[in-house]
Amino acid sequence: MELTKKTHACVRLEKDGRALVIDPGVFSEADAAVGADAILVTHEHMDHFNEERLRAGMEANPAAEIWTLASVAEQLSAAFPGRVHTVGEGDIFTAAGFEVEVHGQLHAVIHPDIPRVTNVGFLIDGGAVFHPGDALTVPEGRTVDTLLLPVHAPWNKVAEVIDYVREVAPGRAIDIHDSLLQDHARPIYDSMIDKLGGTDHGRLAPGTGTAVG
């Protein structure tokens, strides 16, 4: 399986000639979902869910389908009847040849005065890749090979990120959710996570990839 990093929280997975895209949001490339056979969306926030990018992917491939939670599905189902599937924690399904397990329920706390929205994470092919969306969800009872690590957000701090890596204990962690992290701060984050996370840690420039699984 090949993983390609897109801008911010979006990634593209490819195997056996088919492609799965997760979280093509407003910071992602305009064509982030184009060419996808399946699209997964973790939650409704604009940096993970952008209707224009999803429409581009769905219209480019009339056989493409979306799996997401209810709050996103409600906004798309009428436009793509029969092609948008609602999922929640505990669900297991196959999308474009990828086996997907759903973990988690709620977005991380941004501030106590801001209501929490639903958020789900997607575990791909039995643990080859885990994308948690905007939560530090631990897929209980599962071994994770590659953790897509939300490294910088209004809802987290680096100590929590490090402890999350330690708790999941993946084979390696690759940064996502990094558009708001300035270049001069990246070495600081890299150094702390590398030193304290307890696993191989790295980041990919948008458009570059690595083998996973």
Side-chain angles (χ1 to χ4, degrees), residues 10-11 19-24 32-42 48 53-59 61 64-68 76 83-85 93 95-96 122:
C10 183
V11 299
L20 179 151
V21 171
I22 306 175
D23 280 4
V34 173
D37 298 288
I39 304 168
L40 310 181
V41 181
T42 63
H48 298 255
R53 282 150 178 71
L54 287 174
R55 283 181 176 272
M58 296 290 277
E59 290 168 359
N61 179 4
E65 298 178 76
I66 295 172
W67 283 262
T68 186
L76 298 169
R83 298 170 64 192
V84 180
H85 312 281
F93 58 93
F122 295 110

Side-chain angles (χ1 to χ4, degrees), residues 113-138:
D113 290 351
I114 299 176
R116 296 172 73 182
V117 300
T118 307
N119 177 95
V120 293
F122 295 110
L123 187 77
I124 311 298
D125 281 357
V129 176
F130 182 57
H131 191 310
D134 274 6
L136 302 180
T137 300
V138 177

